[in-house]
Amino acid sequence: MISTLLVANRGEIARRIFRTCRDLGISTVACYSDADSNAPHVHEADLAVRLPGTAAADTYLRGDLIIRAAIDAGADAIHPGYGFLSENADFARAVLDAGLLWIGPSPEVIADMGSKTQAKELMSAAAVPVLGAIDPAHATAADLPLLVKAAMGGGGRGMRIVRDLGDLPEALAAARAESASYFGSDEVFCEPYVERGRHVEVQILADEAGTVWTLGERDCSIQRRHQKVIEESPAPGLTEDTRRALSQAAAAAAKAIGYTSAGTVEFLLAPDGRFFFLETNTRLQVEHPVTECVTGLDLVAWQLRIAEGRPLPLDPPAPSGHAIEARLYAEDPAHDWQPRSGALHKIEFPDVGTRFEVGQRDTGIRLDSGVEDGSVIGVEYDAMLAKVIAWAPTRDAAARLLAAGLDRARIHGVTTNRELLVKVLRQPGFLDGDVHTGFLADHATDLELSPPSGRALLAPLAIALADAAARRATGPQPAAIPSGWRNLPSQPQVKRYRDQGGDEYEVRYRLTRAGLSAEGHPGVRLVSSVPDLVVLDVDGICHSFTVSAYEHESVVYIDTAGAHVALTPIDRFPDPAAHVELGSLLAPMPGVVSRIAAAEGELVTAGQPLLWLEAMKMEHVVTAPADGVLTRLHAEPGRQVTVGAVLAIVEPRRPDPKEQNT
């Protein structure tokens, strides 16, 4: 019997596991880095142990420190969550050697499945369909397109698509470097790349007695940079024969390696209906809540019971209904998915029914999040803020419920992918079940962030009126007289704002005896205004605008039905120090300089990679904007930079008069 459990992880998965432990009467221990000292998971645990440092390599990847923390805190078991050390066989073995209970499959199984090449060999021997590996040294044009993959990788790291043989050497080198950096091994391999393939996986549970449950399949095909964005269960559009075959293949894979605990067998489903083994994730998956919602099972609870030696019943519950999960990231899809950091002032989902709980098996929204109002989003770890899960009797109902729940959320402080998620969930192709790994690329035009329209265009006016109400409430004039009111006609009040894309908006309005008169907004009547709420009547229809401003933050946030806008008031007297030198390359995101590929004084060409920034498990390349000379380099490997910091200066090359005359 487990009495005290340490979770060797952070954020939402730590909170998720703690939730089940509270239900089961198990005491909890958190571990945390200095960057996470005020994180919600730290305060929710019964005990918490500090891991000195901020980098993952110094904290959450230090198995020796985590085991010592468990022993010192009196824990008798360790749950690894997902990511970090969850699929590290040496860590699992060290946990057992220390006399602690390991929540997961055996170290031997983890090692067997840790190498994708070795895992494929084992699955092939068990008659599970696999894609054959291709020796990159002997690849031909007939093998294209190819997918280069890290043998020890996951999460999209160390993966490159190659459509031209001439690009293969560079893709191999990049994949090897990334794999060595993230997984400690530069082993890579190639396999055929299946166009418009689907990522379909089967959730398994297995006990020590050899009973294996397959709990339906999940479709995880909506991805960006080979990383999942939207997952659902069951997978849409599969025939019953395909579902049955996937389940049988997953059970055969589990039995072939003697699997125990929760795990996932992942497959690539080709457009012609054939499927191939990809890998076995020897841990709990990020997307496990969709399976919990359609089965009513608490997968974490079953992990703990199996670790204690308890058997599974012979038959699993039959799934019912449909569940869809959306991953809310602090990132900017409009700018190459660059991660974003900073203070998260507010994250509020008014339609959420449960948090971290399995919930009832009919209809509802569940939220699993590692952050709360006031959390600071750093660059040290993953950019995911929350998982929002909707379940309903049908797929259409779940998609509509999830889209509406995301749309009504109030998220202030960091740019997120919320608008993209809502657009995907409402996209006709998605609703028809036409999902595949190239979905976002195929529908890029449909999913582009929309320019402000409708209610969003009224946001600048709403801010100006809220600001006037705030000044009226604190100013010396009588409260009954609105700010900007004149006894005689005068110049209009003028306010200017800039959105996050750099577009500027000017508001010109008057408040007179006749009411509001706003240029460019005929038919708009002011119903009421206070500093945090403005109600406007537009041609007889009332619209409410919630206005939020935060101390030490210049951005003002406006939320209304179907629109969420963040605007920065433009100072009438701009700071001249904001000017930067011509040719300056600014950091597009906060992060750490990971690599540099050029030196001062070097001639560079437009598009040439100069350096790489790494943040939140993502890497961004900074390229030369034009042909020229790299005159100054303000970066070095390992240096932490903030967004907007000058990284380098490229002086454009001036045309040679002799060349112009020839």
Side-chain angles (χ1 to χ4, degrees):
M1 295 287 290
I2 299 169
S3 63
T4 303
L5 177 77
L6 179 140
V7 177
N9 218 296
R10 61 179 299 278
E12 71 67 34
I13 187 58
R15 300 181 78 187
R16 163 70 189 91
I17 297 166
F18 292 160
R19 170 71 203 198
T20 290
C21 287
R22 288 195 296 272
D23 291 343
L24 298 179
I26 296 174
S27 298
T28 56
V29 181
C31 56
Y32 65 94
S33 69
D34 291 338
D36 279 339
S37 58
N38 291 315
H41 81 274
V42 177
H43 307 301
E44 288 183 359
D46 296 310
L47 299 172
V49 182
R50 174 178 174 247
L51 304 175
T54 57
D58 300 327
T59 54
Y60 298 109
L61 291 175
R62 284 287 302 274
D64 57 333
L65 296 183
I66 291 172
I67 291 172
R68 172 48 54 190
I71 293 172
D72 290 347
D76 45 24
I78 289 181
H79 194 305
Y82 57 71
F84 294 132
L85 294 171
S86 62
E87 294 181 284
N88 186 304
D90 291 337
F91 177 60
R93 194 171 290 110
V95 169
L96 295 172
D97 289 344
L100 302 170
L101 196 60
W102 167 254
I103 310 302
S106 70
E108 292 73 26
V109 167
I110 295 174
D112 285 343
M113 295 296 101
S115 167
K116 289 183 172 61
T117 51
Q118 183 176 342
K120 284 192 172 193
E121 292 174 1
L122 290 170
M123 293 302 104
S124 181
V128 177
V130 300
L131 274 175
I134 295 174
D135 184 350
H138 298 95
T140 68
D143 297 318
L144 297 174
L146 286 172
L147 183 63
V148 181
K149 300 177 71 173
M152 306 299 292
R157 285 294 187 185
M159 294 179 68
R160 299 290 187 279
I161 299 173
V162 178
R163 301 183 185 278
D164 188 307
L165 281 180
D167 298 332
L168 183 56
E170 182 180 345
L172 288 168
R176 287 190 178 112
E178 195 169 71
S179 179
S181 172
Y182 285 88
F183 310 116
S185 168
D186 66 355
E187 182 187 355
V188 299
F189 66 99
C190 295
E191 65 184 18
Y193 178 68
V194 178
E195 301 279 9
R196 298 180 65 86
R198 293 174 60 180
H199 184 127
V200 180
E201 59 191 32
V202 178
Q203 176 70 56
I204 59 173
L205 270 177
D207 63 17
E208 297 286 354
T211 300
V212 176
W213 279 3
T214 56
L215 300 171
E217 77 288 338
R218 299 185 289 251
D219 190 296
C220 309
S221 301
I222 308 294
Q223 303 179 0
R224 55 96 170 101
R225 290 182 170 178
H226 308 295
Q227 295 179 326
K228 302 166 186 174
V229 178
I230 291 179
E231 304 100 342
E232 58 182 309
S233 182
L238 300 189
T239 66
E240 288 306 313
D241 287 344
T242 300
R243 294 187 199 280
R244 190 179 307 109
L246 284 166
S247 178
Q248 291 171 348
K255 292 176 181 178
I257 57 178
Y259 199 90
T260 57
S261 192
T264 305
V265 185
E266 301 194 349
F267 299 95
L268 178 65
L269 180 64
D272 61 7
R274 294 180 301 153
F275 62 85
F276 307 94
F277 171 84
L278 284 176
E279 62 182 320
T280 299
N281 292 124
T282 53
R283 54 172 169 81
L284 197 67
Q285 288 282 82
V286 177
E287 57 272 20
H288 75 275
V290 295
T291 297
E292 292 187 323
C293 287
V294 297
T295 63
L297 293 170
D298 184 330
L299 294 180
V300 174
W302 274 109
Q303 281 188 297
L304 300 177
R305 294 184 187 115
I306 290 169
E308 290 177 331
R310 302 185 191 184
L312 289 165
L314 291 179
D315 297 312
S320 66
H322 203 99
I324 307 176
E325 172 181 292
R327 301 192 192 187
L328 183 71
Y329 284 100
E331 65 184 14
D332 189 351
H335 293 87
D336 198 28
W337 310 95
Q338 292 169 8
R340 291 292 180 244
S341 63
L344 182 65
H345 304 303
K346 179 174 288 295
I347 180 166
E348 177 182 276
F349 291 85
D351 296 337
V352 165
T354 65
R355 296 174 185 269
F356 303 105
E357 299 175 45
V358 174
Q360 300 299 315
R361 292 177 58 188
D362 48 297
T363 302
I365 293 182
R366 163 178 163 176
L367 179 69
D368 286 18
S369 176
V371 296
E372 294 178 337
D373 292 357
S375 291
V376 175
I377 311 305
V379 300
E380 298 86 4
Y381 314 116
D382 189 85
M384 189 172 71
L385 300 179
K387 303 181 309 196
V388 190
I389 310 100
W391 72 99
T394 67
R395 184 173 185 268
D396 285 348
R400 181 167 54 189
L401 185 64
L402 182 54
L406 286 163
D407 205 12
R408 281 197 279 265
R410 298 176 65 196
I411 306 166
H412 302 162
V414 292
T415 300
T416 73
N417 64 335
R418 183 252 301 272
E419 184 177 336
L420 175 85
L421 296 173
V422 173
K423 282 178 173 287
V424 170
L425 292 165
R426 291 173 174 167
Q427 210 278 335
F430 177 84
L431 293 174
D432 288 342
D434 183 21
V435 295
H436 52 85
T437 55
F439 183 91
L440 294 184
D442 281 6
H443 298 279
T445 301
D446 296 341
L447 301 175
E448 285 180 354
L449 300 187
S450 305
S453 62
R455 284 182 288 262
L457 285 176
L458 291 169
L461 176 60
I463 292 182
L465 294 171
D467 180 58
R471 287 186 283 109
R472 181 171 70 244
T474 58
Q477 67 272 15
I481 301 178
S483 173
W485 187 90
R486 296 290 185 273
N487 189 43
L488 297 172
S490 181
Q491 294 295 317
Q493 296 289 307
V494 180
K495 297 287 185 180
R496 295 174 63 232
Y497 303 94
R498 181 183 295 110
D499 66 18
Q500 293 175 310
D503 293 330
E504 296 186 4
Y505 305 88
E506 184 175 83
V507 177
R508 303 173 70 87
Y509 74 95
R510 291 185 179 91
L511 291 172
T512 68
R513 289 188 180 93
L516 172 69
S517 173
E519 295 183 15
H521 298 291
V524 175
R525 183 175 67 87
L526 175 61
V527 177
S528 63
S529 63
V530 293
D532 59 356
L533 180 65
V534 173
V535 181
L536 299 175
D537 181 307
V538 183
D539 297 326
I541 300 175
C542 286
H543 303 269
S544 297
F545 296 82
T546 302
V547 182
S548 304
Y550 300 91
E551 191 176 0
H552 309 305
E553 168 83 55
S554 60
V555 180
V556 182
Y557 301 89
I558 310 94
D559 297 285
T560 186
H564 308 275
V565 182
L567 296 174
T568 302
I570 298 176
D571 198 327
R572 292 175 60 191
F573 306 101
D575 184 359
H579 174 73
V580 295
E581 187 174 344
L582 183 67
S584 297
L585 299 182
L586 308 182
M589 63 184 189
V592 176
V593 178
S594 58
R595 289 185 283 159
I596 293 178
E600 288 186 359
E602 184 177 326
L603 287 172
V604 297
T605 58
Q608 176 182 333
L610 302 182
L611 57 90
W612 285 261
L613 285 180
E614 179 188 313
M616 301 181 185
K617 296 186 178 180
M618 297 179 69
E619 197 171 52
H620 178 79
V621 61
V622 177
T623 61
D627 295 350
V629 179
L630 180 60
T631 57
R632 261 178 285 173
L633 190 63
H634 298 284
E636 58 185 19
R639 179 189 168 197
Q640 180 84 43
V641 298
T642 58
V643 63
V646 178
L647 300 174
I649 298 176
V650 174
E651 183 177 320
R653 183 186 176 194
R654 295 174 181 170
D656 189 329
K658 295 180 180 179
E659 294 179 358
Q660 289 183 326
N661 295 331
T662 58

